[in-house]
């Protein structure tokens, strides 16, 4: 990790100072989002704020207070850059250690226990439209837990009917962590063409996850899954 970026991520911000003093969560969303009428309008306002002039939003999770249960209308990755974190999903506690990556589906509700000073949890938010259809079309990648997750997202499968998250525990080797570090560095250093580079790194990250986390069974994509990827690829070329 770039030392300059790591130093930025380690700094205590204003909200964290308040949370540390009061020992309670301080809302981190702007007032105009919180006060914006109907829930649907709030969602649209939040999306416009997060993804304005960018396709992927990256942030460091605030420390010193627990974060209440919440859900989003976009995909979310929680990456433990440093330290540990404890999240609750579907009533189940999940312990995350340094190098672990948690992928949350649209609508997945989760809460996060209090992070300490040395814990750095990075949020990476993106919409499913950012995912390259070529990733779903490659049959060699189909024997993967991530493939099933992404194809369900493209098919519009209700995430409440299946697992709405995937946990990727850190494995020997640094390919995945290296790509995540590159995404974080590009985002915070704000260099030219960073948005395009981050999108490319996200595709690399997904392929690395597919390659390194295969299914434990002999499951293969169904005929309907194969058909939908062909349809999606055809429509994608027409855009």
């Amino acid at each position: 990790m770039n030392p300059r970026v790591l130093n930025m991520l380690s700094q205590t911000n204003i909200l964290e100072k308040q949370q540390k003093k009061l020992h309670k969560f301080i809302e981190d969303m702007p007032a105009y989002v919180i006060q914006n009428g109907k829930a649907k309008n709030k969602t649209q306002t939040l999306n416009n704020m997060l993804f304005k002039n960018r396709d992927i939003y990256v942030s460091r999770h605030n420390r010193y207070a627990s974060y209440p249960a919440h859900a989003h209308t976009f995909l979310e990755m929680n990456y433990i850059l440093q330290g540990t974190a404890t999240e609750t999903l579907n009533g189940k506690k999940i312990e995350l250690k340094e190098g672990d990556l948690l992928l949350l589906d649209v609508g997945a509700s989760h809460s996060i226990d209090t992070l300490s000073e040395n814990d750095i949890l990075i949020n990476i938010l993106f919409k499913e439209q950012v995912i390259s259809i070529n990733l779903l079309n490659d049959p060699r990648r189909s024997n993967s837990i991530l493939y099933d997750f992404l194809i369900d997202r493209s098919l519009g499968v209700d995430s409440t009917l299946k697992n709405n998250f995937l946990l990727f525990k850190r494995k020997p080797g640094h390919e995945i962590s290296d790509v995540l570090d590159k995404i974080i560095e590009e985002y915070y250093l704000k260099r030219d063409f960073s948005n395009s580079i981050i999108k490319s790194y996200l595709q690399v990250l997904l392929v690395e996850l597919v390659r390194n986390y295969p299914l434990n069974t002999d499951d293969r994509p169904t005929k309907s899954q194969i058909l939908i990827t062909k349809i999606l690829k055809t429509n994608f070329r027409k855009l």
Side-chain angles (χ1 to χ4, degrees):
M1 170 63 66
N2 181 294
R4 177 185 167 195
V5 175
L6 186 58
N7 180 62
M8 291 169 59
L9 295 172
S10 301
Q11 298 300 312
T12 302
N13 61 35
I14 295 176
L15 280 179
E16 288 182 317
K17 290 179 180 178
Q18 293 178 305
Q19 291 187 160
K20 189 174 184 179
K21 179 180 180 180
L22 301 174
H23 302 289
K24 69 175 184 179
F25 167 73
I26 305 295
E27 180 58 62
D28 56 352
M29 288 293 104
Y32 68 83
V33 175
I34 305 302
Q35 298 170 1
N36 187 342
K38 299 180 180 179
K40 185 175 181 180
N41 291 335
K42 287 183 182 180
T43 298
Q44 186 59 49
T45 303
L46 176 60
N47 286 351
N48 290 342
M49 180 192 77
L50 295 179
F51 299 109
K52 183 180 180 181
N53 300 323
R54 62 170 75 95
D55 296 294
I56 300 166
Y57 178 81
V58 179
S59 68
R60 193 215 63 195
H61 187 79
N62 288 330
R63 299 162 293 185
Y64 306 118
S66 59
Y67 201 98
H70 62 286
H72 298 300
T73 58
F74 37 77
L75 293 161
E76 177 179 359
M77 286 182 176
N78 292 164
Y79 172 55
I80 310 302
L81 176 65
Q82 180 178 294
T84 61
T86 300
E87 301 200 27
T88 301
L89 292 102
N90 306 328
K92 178 182 178 182
K93 288 276 188 181
I94 298 178
E95 303 294 334
L96 302 172
K97 297 181 180 180
E98 187 171 314
D100 290 350
L101 178 68
L102 181 65
L103 173 60
L104 301 165
D105 198 359
V106 172
S109 178
H110 67 126
S111 60
I112 304 174
D113 289 359
T114 303
L115 300 180
S116 68
E117 180 180 1
N118 296 320
D119 299 327
I120 300 180
L121 187 160
I122 301 297
N123 302 308
I124 302 174
L125 314 177
F126 59 99
K127 298 180 181 180
E128 60 264 35
Q129 293 91 334
V130 176
I131 301 171
S132 170
I133 197 61
N134 292 320
L135 176 67
L136 303 179
N137 189 67
D138 192 339
R140 293 172 298 174
R141 300 170 183 164
S142 60
N143 190 32
S144 161
I145 54 175
L146 180 58
Y147 176 90
D148 283 354
F149 185 98
L150 296 178
I151 197 67
D152 284 344
R153 176 102 306 278
S154 297
L155 286 166
V157 174
D158 187 350
S159 63
T160 61
L161 301 178
K162 304 184 70 174
N163 284 336
N164 52 10
F165 69 92
L166 290 178
L167 174 58
F168 302 96
K169 302 296 290 185
R170 183 174 186 175
K171 288 187 174 183
H174 302 285
E175 296 91 347
I176 292 172
S177 293
D178 286 346
V179 178
L180 283 160
D181 285 353
K182 291 295 184 183
I183 290 174
I184 297 167
E185 289 171 7
E186 280 293 335
Y187 190 89
Y188 280 96
L189 292 177
K190 302 183 185 302
R191 295 180 289 207
D192 291 342
F193 313 113
S194 60
N195 185 61
S196 297
I197 292 174
I198 291 171
K199 285 174 62 178
S200 297
Y201 277 135
L202 179 63
Q203 304 302 325
V204 173
L205 173 63
L206 293 173
V207 174
E208 288 283 3
L209 291 172
V210 167
R211 180 167 66 180
N212 286 280
Y213 294 86
L215 285 169
N216 294 323
T217 70
D218 292 327
D219 290 343
R220 293 294 185 272
T222 63
K223 290 182 178 180
S224 62
Q225 288 177 330
I226 295 172
L227 175 61
I228 197 66
T229 55
K230 290 181 179 179
I231 293 173
L232 288 169
K233 188 173 180 67
T234 300
N235 291 335
F236 181 79
R237 284 173 173 171
K238 293 178 179 179
L239 295 178

